[in-house]
């Protein structure tokens, strides 16, 4: 047999591995793809700032004998201080979103009265108005709900709301300036 006639033997068939179904590990599935928690110093700074601004709103409310702290403002403060780079945390969205939804809330209250279904409608229309105005701020939808369900006097509520959202925004700005390692807030003012 010459070297030209050497042929290779066909490869031996690979051993078939039994098909076993591997089960995903439970812990990675529970953890998911959520971002890592912030460092302890950052979390403490954010929590302190949010608590301080909300206590300031309570103090103002007790001085003027009107409820100034409403749930949507607490949610706004949490977003401004925890996620300051998001578009819905920017001053344009926080301030204009709450004021637009307040207008929608009063319009729905005048047209349809105070009912849960009217409050739900006000929240949906408020979201549509904010979307068109390019001022997305989800907690502001709850402002429309509060107005429809509790029908506060506009002459008192709207100025207090406007002042409160400005306080929330300014507190976010001050907190970002106070901590050099914090992300700058706001990313844009308007």
């Amino acid at each position: 047999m010459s070297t030209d006639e050497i042929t290779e033997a066909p490869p031996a068939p690979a051993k078939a591995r039994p098909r076993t179904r591997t089960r995903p590990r439970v812990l990675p599935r529970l953890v998911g793809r959520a971002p890592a928690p912030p460092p302890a110093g950052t979390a403490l700074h954010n929590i302190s700032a949010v608590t301080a601004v909300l206590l300031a709103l309570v103090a103002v409310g007790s001085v003027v004998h009107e409820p100034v702290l409403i749930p949507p403002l607490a949610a706004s403060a949490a977003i401004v201080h925890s996620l300051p780079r998001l578009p819905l945390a920017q001053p344009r969205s926080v301030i204009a979103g709450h004021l637009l939804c307040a207008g929608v809330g009063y319009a729905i209250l005048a047209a349809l009265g105070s009912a849960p279904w009217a409050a739900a409608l006000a929240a949906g229309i408020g979201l549509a108005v904010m979307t068109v105005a390019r001022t997305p701020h989800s907690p502001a939808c709850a402002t429309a709900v509060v107005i429809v369900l509790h029908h506060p006097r506009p002459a008192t509520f709207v100025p207090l709301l406007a002042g409160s959202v400005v306080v929330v925004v300014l507190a976010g700005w001050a907190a970002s300036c106070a901590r050099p390692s914090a992300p700058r807030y706001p990313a844009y003012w308007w």
Side-chain angles (χ1 to χ4, degrees):
M1 195 186 234
S2 73
T3 56
D4 294 334
E5 296 176 17
I6 298 179
T7 59
E8 293 184 26
K15 280 190 172 181
R17 293 193 314 192
R19 285 185 68 93
T20 59
R21 190 173 172 151
T22 59
R23 291 175 19 151
R25 292 184 8 203
V26 174
L27 188 57
R29 281 213 179 283
L30 291 177
V31 171
R33 294 188 294 193
T42 301
L44 181 63
H45 176 75
N46 291 346
I47 292 166
S48 302
V50 168
T51 303
V53 74
L54 295 179
L55 287 172
L57 293 178
V58 169
V60 169
S62 66
V63 168
V64 298
H65 304 292
E66 290 287 336
V68 175
L69 177 62
I70 57 173
L73 292 177
S76 295
I79 289 171
V80 165
H81 290 276
S82 299
L83 304 162
R85 305 299 294 171
L86 287 182
L88 63 111
Q90 302 312 309
R92 171 189 174 102
S93 294
V94 175
I95 296 168
H98 278 288
L99 294 177
L100 288 170
C101 283
V104 169
Y106 281 115
I108 294 294
L109 180 62
L112 304 173
S114 180
W117 64 269
L121 184 63
I125 292 173
L127 179 61
V129 168
M130 287 187 298
T131 301
V132 169
R134 297 183 3 228
T135 57
H137 189 67
S138 49
C141 293
T143 297
V145 171
V146 166
I147 289 170
V148 171
L149 294 180
H150 297 286
H151 36 85
R153 293 187 325 264
T156 305
F157 184 79
V158 173
L160 287 174
L161 176 68
S164 297
V165 293
V166 168
V167 166
V168 167
V169 166
L170 290 177
W173 173 72
S176 81
C177 290
R179 186 172 168 95
S181 62
R184 289 291 126 223
Y185 178 79
Y188 52 89
W189 282 97
W190 197 256

